[in-house]
Amino acid sequence: MFFTELSNDKERVYEAGEKWGNMPESEKKILRWLTTLPELERKTVDKTGTALHGPYRYHQALCRLMKSECVFLLKTGEAEYYCIPRELDHYIYNQFFSGEEPSGSSVYFDINSFLFHFLLYVSHHIGPVNKRSPVEDELVFNEFDSVFSEDVKKIGRDPGKLIQYLRFGADSVAEHFAGIYLRRKAAKREVDVKHLLYGSEAPISLFGPYEELTGLPFFTSNKPEATLDRLPDYFDRSLKGISLPGNEWLYPLNTEPSFLFILLTFSRLVSPGQMLHIKFTEDSIKEGESVFADPSPFWNEIIRNYSYDMAVVHELERLCEKNAPVINKGSFVYFKISSSSMRNGLIKKAVINVGKEFVVQAEEGMFIAADKAAVWEESLKQDGISLTCDRMEEAEARKELEKPFSAGNYEEVLLDEWNGARRIPEASFKLTSYRENMKARMIRQSQALKLPVIIELSDGSQIVEEVKTLKYQTEEAGIETYSGRNLSLSNIHRIAIAHPGSEESV
């Protein structure tokens, strides 16, 4: 995801190069490692990060990376994930992992073409079986059947979540599913495929014979226009479809993905071609409604998209209304108009602005359909009419719920064991000479607290290390550290536990 989606800050420019340049080496090491992982599910990453880097160094660096907005913790209903802002992930990848250009025959990967065909595949497989009409992309669908059958079942249980993720992070959705596909497709399962998603080429031999790739539209010999780091610029949220007779429409393939998926769900696919060719029918709308627990927000989005042409809106509503004798028209917002002299004029103006069917007159004001309220409020501002909302906090809370995730705080990655440092004697944090059994005891205590130790060697030099294993009561008692150093206890002259947060422990 990009910084604007993660931070809700639409104004601030995220300077990835500056962030990286100001970062200590200990944090750079952890961040570079994070960018190489195919998935950033918190439990898995924390377990691996602790084993590789040591619990203290890993969690301390992670905490500071979150403070500096280089890593975010995202919470969903099912799990928690770390997320690196797309701008920073791309910068690091270009600096350290882009690699050399391949020799011989090579191929590019068109991430937008992949995302389009993936959404086409998902929309084709969720909902009623009779929706699965013949498609031109049988080769693509057969490819996806062998990879995504279980993912589609999961998406089908709540397709609204996919729409939410597409809206707030289409790049992350594309990266996730393209990564799964490419790693499965590659001859070497552990291959790093991110360079392809950022627009670099790779050897054709990595993914099999050339003949197998020619029928897959997302493998191309030309550098694609859309890459993972440029997706927001590629998608056009303002695109309107091209009307054809018989409720048929053409849409460009760079239509905003969440809306594209909604269109695919409520319509029949005529042809995928160079443009998406769809047709709305009574059956397609009914089948689309059956996919969602509450289809109204998604159907209303289609209606809003055609609000510039009320004839189209009325025709779509006619098709929709044939499906049921009773129709839930959604929520309405009450606007109280305190000035009686303005009341009738404002009600007439609202009817003109948002449509008669979306306005209900009341004794001291009017009700306006919730999805038209923002349009009405904007027209009031343009006319210089002041507006207050006595339910602002509730409205903001509802707005926040639209996101499929919430952001975690850096304090959540701090280790509980560090609190135990408050309960040990102050002398434990001061370099002291001990007998061998006490050295072993101090080391065990540092491991229990998940803290490093400060060690003064026999030659007077000092080092800070996290102890991975302690070998005691053996012929050569000693320690192995997470940095790979091996030391005998006899070579340790003085030792102390590093206090959490101290400069020595970094």
Side-chain angles (χ1 to χ4, degrees):
M1 291 182 189
F2 288 80
F3 178 72
T4 52
E5 278 112 16
L6 292 167
S7 67
N8 294 323
D9 190 340
K10 306 296 181 185
E11 303 298 326
R12 184 150 51 103
V13 177
Y14 190 83
E15 297 290 352
E18 185 178 321
K19 290 277 188 185
W20 180 259
N22 294 330
M23 199 179 296
E25 284 301 322
S26 58
E27 292 167 36
K28 286 180 177 179
K29 183 179 179 181
I30 298 298
L31 190 56
R32 279 180 60 179
W33 171 72
L34 288 173
T35 61
T36 65
L37 301 179
E39 297 292 339
L40 292 177
E41 192 271 327
R42 182 184 178 182
K43 284 185 179 178
T44 304
V45 173
D46 284 352
K47 183 178 179 180
T48 308
T50 295
L52 281 176
H53 305 285
Y56 181 81
R57 287 226 162 85
Y58 168 71
H59 284 276
Q60 186 76 338
L62 197 59
C63 173
R64 292 177 180 178
L65 288 167
M66 288 180 64
K67 278 184 178 181
S68 60
E69 297 179 323
C70 295
V71 173
F72 288 77
L73 175 62
L74 305 182
K75 300 179 175 185
T76 70
E78 301 168 350
E80 297 181 359
Y81 298 87
Y82 295 118
C83 185
I84 303 166
R86 178 64 58 202
E87 299 91 333
L88 184 56
D89 184 77
H90 181 236
Y91 177 86
I92 295 171
Y93 206 82
N94 270 356
Q95 291 287 315
F96 302 103
F97 304 111
S98 55
E100 299 178 1
E101 292 187 7
S103 58
S105 299
S106 60
V107 67
Y108 290 97
F109 188 78
D110 188 333
I111 188 68
N112 184 59
S113 175
F114 172 85
L115 182 60
F116 168 75
H117 284 89
F118 176 75
L119 296 179
L120 186 64
Y121 172 78
V122 173
S123 68
H124 189 74
H125 283 77
I126 61 177
V129 174
N130 63 1
K131 183 182 173 71
R132 301 174 190 177
S133 54
V135 293
E136 293 181 12
D137 290 324
E138 280 193 42
L139 179 59
V140 173
F141 277 35
N142 289 337
E143 280 275 299
F144 286 176
D145 277 337
S146 65
V147 179
F148 295 123
S149 56
E150 291 303 314
D151 293 280
V152 169
K153 289 178 185 177
K154 186 176 180 180
I155 292 170
R157 290 194 283 270
D158 187 2
K161 273 191 178 179
L162 176 60
I163 293 171
Q164 287 176 301
Y165 280 111
L166 286 167
R167 186 161 299 160
F168 290 101
D171 62 306
S172 291
V173 175
E175 180 182 24
H176 173 73
F177 290 107
I180 291 173
Y181 171 73
L182 288 170
R183 282 187 289 274
R184 187 75 64 86
K185 183 78 175 171
K188 298 177 181 178
R189 293 288 185 261
E190 300 303 317
V191 67
D192 179 10
V193 298
K194 196 181 283 188
H195 62 287
L196 273 170
L197 306 183
Y198 279 133
S200 297
E201 54 190 323
I204 287 180
S205 58
L206 187 62
F207 299 103
Y210 175 77
E211 295 74 22
E212 289 186 10
L213 303 184
T214 53
L216 300 172
F218 27 82
F219 287 105
T220 172
S221 58
N222 300 315
K223 187 164 186 173
E225 183 181 348
T227 52
L228 202 58
D229 55 303
R230 296 206 302 264
L231 280 186
D233 299 327
Y234 182 77
F235 296 134
D236 193 338
R237 296 176 183 272
S238 63
L239 284 176
K240 291 180 171 61
I242 300 171
S243 177
L244 301 175
N247 292 319
E248 294 187 17
W249 293 82
L250 292 175
Y251 275 88
L253 300 190
N254 64 328
T255 299
E256 195 275 321
S258 67
F259 184 64
L260 190 71
F261 184 68
I262 293 171
L263 287 173
L264 288 168
T265 307
F266 282 94
S267 66
R268 291 275 186 190
L269 177 69
V270 179
S271 169
Q274 294 300 311
M275 295 187 78
L276 178 68
H277 186 178
I278 59 171
K279 178 182 177 68
F280 291 106
T281 68
E282 294 172 35
D283 286 340
S284 73
I285 294 170
K286 185 176 181 179
E287 289 164 359
E289 289 177 329
S290 71
V291 165
F292 302 100
D294 178 12
S296 57
F298 310 111
W299 176 247
N300 287 341
E301 193 155 332
I302 292 177
I303 295 299
R304 280 197 299 273
N305 185 258
Y306 296 118
S307 60
Y308 62 90
D309 189 337
M310 292 310 294
V312 175
V313 170
H314 292 319
E315 173 61 15
L316 290 176
E317 288 184 334
R318 183 189 68 79
L319 291 173
C320 182
E321 289 171 6
K322 282 190 174 183
N323 291 329
V326 179
I327 304 162
N328 183 339
K329 300 294 283 186
S331 303
F332 279 68
V333 178
Y334 177 58
F335 289 85
K336 181 179 180 180
I337 304 171
S338 54
S339 171
S340 57
S341 61
M342 295 175 65
R343 196 171 295 143
N344 288 336
L346 287 175
I347 292 172
K348 289 178 182 178
K349 181 179 175 65
V351 169
I352 295 170
N353 280 7
V354 303
K356 184 178 180 180
E357 65 271 33
F358 301 113
V359 180
V360 178
Q361 185 170 348
E363 186 175 346
E364 293 187 353
M366 60 184 151
F367 292 89
I368 291 182
D371 60 339
K372 302 290 183 182
V375 176
W376 171 238
E377 290 176 5
E378 184 60 32
S379 70
L380 290 177
K381 291 177 184 176
Q382 291 177 0
D383 292 341
I385 299 173
S386 61
L387 171 75
T388 60
C389 179
D390 58 3
R391 301 180 116 189
M392 192 64 73
E393 289 184 9
E394 182 183 337
E396 286 299 316
R398 286 199 303 271
K399 184 177 179 182
E400 185 63 29
L401 288 175
E402 292 174 4
K403 280 195 172 185
F405 58 83
S406 60
N409 190 281
Y410 74 89
E411 292 177 346
E412 295 178 51
V413 303
L414 298 176
L415 293 174
D416 293 336
E417 287 85 349
W418 295 346
N419 294 324
R422 301 172 188 168
R423 296 189 291 272
I424 65 174
E426 191 65 29
S428 300
F429 302 113
K430 295 178 181 178
L431 279 170
T432 308
S433 179
Y434 296 104
R435 291 181 179 177
E436 193 169 275
N437 65 329
M438 279 301 294
K439 291 177 188 177
R441 183 175 176 182
M442 290 286 287
I443 290 167
R444 287 197 190 99
Q445 192 166 37
S446 75
Q447 290 178 303
L449 294 170
K450 291 183 168 53
L451 290 171
V453 287
I454 306 169
I455 295 171
E456 184 182 287
L457 300 173
S458 302
D459 62 5
S461 61
Q462 291 184 8
I463 56 174
V464 180
E465 293 284 353
E466 257 187 285
V467 178
K468 188 174 185 179
T469 56
L470 167 66
K471 298 175 182 177
Y472 188 56
Q473 293 179 336
T474 61
E475 188 174 328
E476 183 62 37
I479 60 172
E480 179 190 357
T481 71
Y482 282 97
S483 66
R485 191 190 296 261
N486 288 282
L487 290 171
S488 65
L489 293 188
S490 61
N491 198 29
I492 297 174
H493 178 55
R494 293 194 298 170
I495 190 170
I497 296 174
H499 198 285
S502 67
E503 291 299 319
E504 291 84 358
S505 61
V506 177

Short mmCIF file of all heavy atoms in Angstrom, two decimals, residues 118 121-122 126 147-157 176-177 180 184:
data_model
loop_
_atom_site.label_atom_id
_atom_site.label_comp_id
_atom_site.label_asym_id
_atom_site.label_seq_id
_atom_site.Cartn_x
_atom_site.Cartn_y
_atom_site.Cartn_z
N PHE A 118 -7.51 -11.74 -13.07
CA PHE A 118 -7.81 -12.37 -11.79
C PHE A 118 -9.21 -11.96 -11.31
O PHE A 118 -9.98 -12.81 -10.85
CB PHE A 118 -6.76 -11.96 -10.75
CG PHE A 118 -7.04 -12.50 -9.37
CD1 PHE A 118 -6.82 -13.83 -9.07
CD2 PHE A 118 -7.54 -11.67 -8.38
CE1 PHE A 118 -7.09 -14.34 -7.81
CE2 PHE A 118 -7.82 -12.17 -7.11
CZ PHE A 118 -7.60 -13.51 -6.82
N TYR A 121 -11.73 -13.71 -13.32
CA TYR A 121 -11.81 -15.11 -12.87
C TYR A 121 -12.64 -15.24 -11.60
O TYR A 121 -13.51 -16.11 -11.49
CB TYR A 121 -10.39 -15.63 -12.66
CG TYR A 121 -10.29 -16.99 -12.02
CD1 TYR A 121 -10.50 -18.15 -12.76
CD2 TYR A 121 -9.96 -17.12 -10.67
CE1 TYR A 121 -10.39 -19.40 -12.18
CE2 TYR A 121 -9.85 -18.36 -10.09
CZ TYR A 121 -10.07 -19.51 -10.85
OH TYR A 121 -9.97 -20.75 -10.25
N VAL A 122 -12.38 -14.36 -10.63
CA VAL A 122 -13.11 -14.43 -9.36
C VAL A 122 -14.60 -14.17 -9.58
O VAL A 122 -15.46 -14.91 -9.08
CB VAL A 122 -12.54 -13.42 -8.34
CG1 VAL A 122 -13.41 -13.37 -7.09
CG2 VAL A 122 -11.11 -13.80 -7.97
N ILE A 126 -17.70 -16.91 -8.43
CA ILE A 126 -18.53 -16.73 -7.23
C ILE A 126 -19.99 -16.58 -7.65
O ILE A 126 -20.29 -16.20 -8.76
CB ILE A 126 -18.08 -15.51 -6.39
CG1 ILE A 126 -18.20 -14.22 -7.20
CG2 ILE A 126 -16.67 -15.70 -5.88
CD1 ILE A 126 -17.86 -12.96 -6.41
N VAL A 147 -4.24 -22.83 -9.22
CA VAL A 147 -3.55 -22.03 -8.20
C VAL A 147 -4.52 -21.43 -7.19
O VAL A 147 -4.25 -21.41 -5.98
CB VAL A 147 -2.74 -20.89 -8.87
CG1 VAL A 147 -2.03 -20.04 -7.81
CG2 VAL A 147 -1.72 -21.45 -9.85
N PHE A 148 -5.67 -20.93 -7.67
CA PHE A 148 -6.50 -20.07 -6.83
C PHE A 148 -7.85 -20.67 -6.42
O PHE A 148 -8.71 -19.94 -5.91
CB PHE A 148 -6.77 -18.74 -7.55
CG PHE A 148 -5.54 -17.91 -7.78
CD1 PHE A 148 -5.17 -17.52 -9.06
CD2 PHE A 148 -4.75 -17.51 -6.71
CE1 PHE A 148 -4.05 -16.74 -9.28
CE2 PHE A 148 -3.61 -16.73 -6.92
CZ PHE A 148 -3.27 -16.35 -8.21
N SER A 149 -8.06 -21.95 -6.61
CA SER A 149 -9.39 -22.52 -6.31
C SER A 149 -9.79 -22.31 -4.86
O SER A 149 -10.94 -21.95 -4.55
CB SER A 149 -9.43 -24.01 -6.67
OG SER A 149 -8.40 -24.71 -5.99
N GLU A 150 -8.85 -22.48 -3.93
CA GLU A 150 -9.16 -22.30 -2.51
C GLU A 150 -9.34 -20.82 -2.17
O GLU A 150 -10.18 -20.45 -1.35
CB GLU A 150 -8.07 -22.92 -1.64
CG GLU A 150 -8.03 -24.43 -1.69
CD GLU A 150 -9.36 -25.06 -1.28
OE1 GLU A 150 -9.93 -24.62 -0.27
OE2 GLU A 150 -9.82 -25.97 -1.99
N ASP A 151 -8.53 -19.95 -2.80
CA ASP A 151 -8.65 -18.52 -2.57
C ASP A 151 -10.03 -18.01 -3.01
O ASP A 151 -10.63 -17.17 -2.34
CB ASP A 151 -7.56 -17.75 -3.32
CG ASP A 151 -6.18 -18.03 -2.78
OD1 ASP A 151 -5.81 -17.45 -1.76
OD2 ASP A 151 -5.47 -18.86 -3.39
N VAL A 152 -10.52 -18.51 -4.13
CA VAL A 152 -11.82 -18.08 -4.64
C VAL A 152 -12.94 -18.50 -3.69
O VAL A 152 -13.89 -17.75 -3.46
CB VAL A 152 -12.06 -18.63 -6.06
CG1 VAL A 152 -13.51 -18.43 -6.48
CG2 VAL A 152 -11.15 -17.92 -7.05
N LYS A 153 -12.83 -19.68 -3.13
CA LYS A 153 -13.84 -20.12 -2.16
C LYS A 153 -13.88 -19.16 -0.97
O LYS A 153 -14.96 -18.80 -0.47
CB LYS A 153 -13.52 -21.53 -1.67
CG LYS A 153 -13.76 -22.61 -2.70
CD LYS A 153 -13.37 -23.98 -2.14
CE LYS A 153 -13.48 -25.07 -3.21
NZ LYS A 153 -13.03 -26.39 -2.68
N LYS A 154 -12.70 -18.76 -0.51
CA LYS A 154 -12.62 -17.83 0.62
C LYS A 154 -13.19 -16.47 0.26
O LYS A 154 -13.96 -15.87 1.02
CB LYS A 154 -11.16 -17.69 1.07
CG LYS A 154 -10.96 -16.88 2.33
CD LYS A 154 -9.50 -16.87 2.74
CE LYS A 154 -9.30 -16.04 4.01
NZ LYS A 154 -7.88 -16.02 4.43
N ILE A 155 -12.82 -15.94 -0.92
CA ILE A 155 -13.34 -14.64 -1.36
C ILE A 155 -14.85 -14.70 -1.52
O ILE A 155 -15.57 -13.76 -1.18
CB ILE A 155 -12.68 -14.23 -2.70
CG1 ILE A 155 -11.20 -13.92 -2.48
CG2 ILE A 155 -13.38 -13.01 -3.30
CD1 ILE A 155 -10.41 -13.75 -3.77
N GLY A 156 -15.36 -15.85 -2.03
CA GLY A 156 -16.80 -16.00 -2.26
C GLY A 156 -17.63 -15.91 -1.01
O GLY A 156 -18.82 -15.57 -1.07
N ARG A 157 -17.02 -16.18 0.15
CA ARG A 157 -17.77 -16.09 1.40
C ARG A 157 -18.05 -14.64 1.79
O ARG A 157 -19.00 -14.36 2.51
CB ARG A 157 -17.01 -16.81 2.53
CG ARG A 157 -17.00 -18.32 2.36
CD ARG A 157 -16.56 -19.02 3.64
NE ARG A 157 -15.13 -18.94 3.85
CZ ARG A 157 -14.26 -19.84 3.40
NH1 ARG A 157 -14.68 -20.87 2.68
NH2 ARG A 157 -12.97 -19.70 3.64
N HIS A 176 0.01 -9.58 -3.83
CA HIS A 176 -0.26 -10.82 -3.10
C HIS A 176 -0.59 -11.97 -4.05
O HIS A 176 0.07 -13.03 -4.01
CB HIS A 176 -1.41 -10.61 -2.12
CG HIS A 176 -1.88 -11.85 -1.43
ND1 HIS A 176 -1.14 -12.46 -0.43
CD2 HIS A 176 -2.98 -12.62 -1.60
CE1 HIS A 176 -1.77 -13.55 -0.01
NE2 HIS A 176 -2.90 -13.67 -0.71
N PHE A 177 -1.58 -11.77 -4.91
CA PHE A 177 -2.02 -12.87 -5.78
C PHE A 177 -1.06 -13.12 -6.94
O PHE A 177 -0.85 -14.27 -7.33
CB PHE A 177 -3.44 -12.61 -6.27
CG PHE A 177 -4.48 -12.73 -5.19
CD1 PHE A 177 -5.11 -11.60 -4.67
CD2 PHE A 177 -4.80 -13.96 -4.67
CE1 PHE A 177 -6.05 -11.71 -3.66
CE2 PHE A 177 -5.75 -14.10 -3.66
CZ PHE A 177 -6.36 -12.96 -3.15
N ILE A 180 1.78 -15.20 -5.48
CA ILE A 180 1.40 -16.61 -5.34
C ILE A 180 1.49 -17.32 -6.69
O ILE A 180 2.05 -18.41 -6.81
CB ILE A 180 -0.03 -16.72 -4.77
CG1 ILE A 180 -0.07 -16.24 -3.31
CG2 ILE A 180 -0.53 -18.16 -4.87
CD1 ILE A 180 -1.47 -16.16 -2.73
N ARG A 184 4.38 -20.13 -7.90
CA ARG A 184 3.90 -21.46 -8.27
C ARG A 184 4.30 -21.82 -9.71
O ARG A 184 4.60 -22.96 -10.03
CB ARG A 184 2.37 -21.49 -8.14
CG ARG A 184 1.72 -22.84 -8.34
CD ARG A 184 1.93 -23.75 -7.16
NE ARG A 184 1.28 -23.22 -5.98
CZ ARG A 184 0.00 -23.43 -5.66
NH1 ARG A 184 -0.76 -24.16 -6.45
NH2 ARG A 184 -0.51 -22.92 -4.56
#
